[in-house]
Amino acid sequence: MASVPTASGKNGSVTMLDVAHHAGVAIGTVSNVLNRPDGVTPSIRDRVLASIDELGFVRNRAASKLAAGVSNTVGVVLADLANSYFTDMVRGAEQSASKAGKFVVIGNSDIDIAKQRSYLTFFDEEQVSGILVAPLGGVIPPEDGHIARQRPLVILDAARQTHAHCAVSTNNVAAGRIAAEHLLGLGRRRLVFAGGPIARSRALADRLQGAQDAVADVEGATLEHMSTDEVQVHDGRRVGALLAHRDADALPDGIVAAADLLALGIVQALTSSSSYRFPDDIALVACDDNRSAYDSIVPISTVDLPGQKMGSTGMRLLLEELADSAEHEHQHITLDPTLTARESTIGR
């Protein structure tokens, strides 16, 4: 066995050449062991691996990626990692990617279009093999379209429109309908849909439409829309405060909240500043099953959006495109939500 050489790489790092000298093989053999091990005889492969272990060699994946022209990394850009809906997407995507031998790197746009663009640009410059993105508004802005044309990209939580890429969306119209039908089935007739801004969110507009469709099917049922700036807890508290000051005959007997955090704020405001109780006076159902709302003093009924399935489905579509981009045909897959009834509508 050759003596241990002085590391020749930058900052004293061990290089493939060092490993080759130590193992007494050509540098191409080291490359084959790292990238195509099945093509190397077991005895030589074991010798090279022993040298790698003894020298502490760490492969430069950036260099390997450039040399091979491919990457085993997928970039994922999500709107809000504080929302478990999006963390579920990551979990589903990562599980599918791991089975395919790929790694997932996450960027959180934090509901900021500039941050979203910077992550898309970063992943493009890093030459990731593909990108999953849950973009604000459910669509890729036209000014970012060049990134989507340069490498495979799948849109998660996509709007209902036609896309130039593979896309996965939740049937938000069905989510709103399911929520309202649950309340109507419990005999509630004076409903409020709380949440907005509808003009800036296709998903929320779809949920409102679904609730309106359900109410229109029931004689004597009404639906009032209470818009909010966002769908966070403080927005819900404002809605709850407004309702708490109403006379009893002007109070709804059922509320569809556009999101769970909004519902959480409504529960907090009404239980702390009024005599109204859930579900005796008001039944409440939300949309998205955000685990951040699980600590609500009143467990909240919700329409569960399939985040984990969305992430795994999106990764499957991306992997299919990577495997055969020439024959790949883009698909738009829509997933159905489901209802989880809890104390806020059905009591204890």
Side-chain angles (χ1 to χ4, degrees):
M1 181 72 70
S3 60
V4 178
T6 302
S8 59
K10 186 177 179 181
N11 299 322
S13 60
V14 176
T15 68
M16 286 175 59
L17 184 59
D18 296 328
V19 173
H21 288 163
H22 188 268
V25 298
I27 191 170
T29 302
V30 178
S31 177
N32 287 336
V33 169
L34 294 172
N35 299 299
R36 294 171 293 277
D38 292 341
V40 183
T41 59
S43 60
I44 294 178
R45 184 171 64 239
D46 290 345
R47 195 162 83 223
V48 171
L49 291 175
S51 293
I52 286 173
D53 184 60
E54 185 174 342
L55 297 178
F57 170 76
V58 178
R59 72 185 301 177
N60 185 332
R61 290 197 177 273
S64 300
K65 174 183 64 181
L66 289 173
V70 295
S71 168
N72 64 348
T73 302
V74 173
V76 181
V77 185
L78 300 173
D80 181 13
L81 283 178
N83 188 329
S84 63
Y85 177 46
F86 294 104
T87 56
D88 284 347
M89 287 184 203
V90 174
R91 184 173 289 107
E94 193 279 331
Q95 288 174 351
S96 295
S98 179
K99 292 176 183 177
K102 289 191 176 293
F103 297 92
V104 167
V105 179
I106 304 165
N108 176 29
S109 71
D110 209 21
I111 319 180
D112 182 331
I113 191 68
K115 230 177 144 181
Q116 174 180 291
R117 180 168 299 122
S118 68
Y119 273 119
L120 287 172
T121 301
F122 171 75
F123 286 139
D124 184 45
E125 292 173 346
E126 287 296 303
Q127 299 183 24
V128 297
S129 60
I131 299 174
L132 298 182
V133 56
L136 303 182
V139 296
I140 298 292
E143 54 269 36
D144 295 328
H146 66 287
I147 296 174
R149 289 190 296 269
Q150 290 172 180
R151 65 192 65 256
L153 180 146
V154 175
I155 301 176
L156 303 180
D157 201 29
R160 283 191 293 140
Q161 66 191 71
T162 301
H163 300 275
H165 327 278
C166 282
V168 189
S169 59
T170 294
N171 190 337
N172 281 294
V173 174
R177 174 178 275 278
I178 289 169
E181 285 179 341
H182 178 55
L183 296 175
L184 293 166
L186 295 171
R188 311 297 168 134
R189 292 296 181 267
R190 302 185 310 278
L191 306 189
V192 159
F193 183 94
I198 299 302
R200 299 208 312 266
S201 172
R202 180 75 251 178
L204 299 188
D206 285 351
R207 292 172 199 172
L208 174 58
Q209 178 186 323
Q212 290 171 331
D213 293 345
V215 168
D217 290 340
V218 178
E219 185 176 355
T222 61
L223 181 70
E224 173 190 356
H225 179 211
M226 296 181 69
S227 187
T228 58
D229 292 335
E230 299 292 343
V231 287
Q232 302 301 315
V233 175
H234 58 270
D235 299 291
R237 291 192 189 113
R238 281 196 287 270
V239 170
L242 290 172
L243 293 174
H245 286 89
R246 289 188 179 185
D247 294 334
D249 58 357
L251 195 71
D253 58 8
I255 301 173
V256 175
D260 281 55
L261 291 181
L262 189 72
L264 176 60
I266 293 172
V267 169
Q268 291 175 348
L270 285 178
T271 55
S272 64
S273 62
S274 76
S275 60
Y276 301 119
R277 292 293 176 261
F278 299 96
D280 297 341
D281 303 302
I282 305 174
L284 170 69
V285 59
C287 296
D288 71 10
D289 199 23
N290 188 333
R291 282 188 290 277
S292 296
Y294 280 12
D295 290 334
S296 174
I297 189 171
V298 178
I300 297 171
S301 296
T302 188
V303 177
D304 183 17
L305 308 182
Q308 187 162 338
K309 186 175 182 181
M310 179 172 290
S312 62
T313 301
M315 183 61 71
R316 174 177 63 79
L317 293 174
L318 183 65
L319 292 172
E320 288 176 358
E321 185 171 358
L322 289 170
D324 190 0
S325 59
E327 298 296 325
H328 178 79
E329 294 184 4
H330 292 317
Q331 302 176 58
H332 187 158
I333 296 175
T334 300
L335 305 177
D336 292 324
T338 55
L339 174 74
T340 300
R342 301 188 179 106
E343 185 179 334
S344 67
T345 59
I346 60 174
R348 296 184 179 180

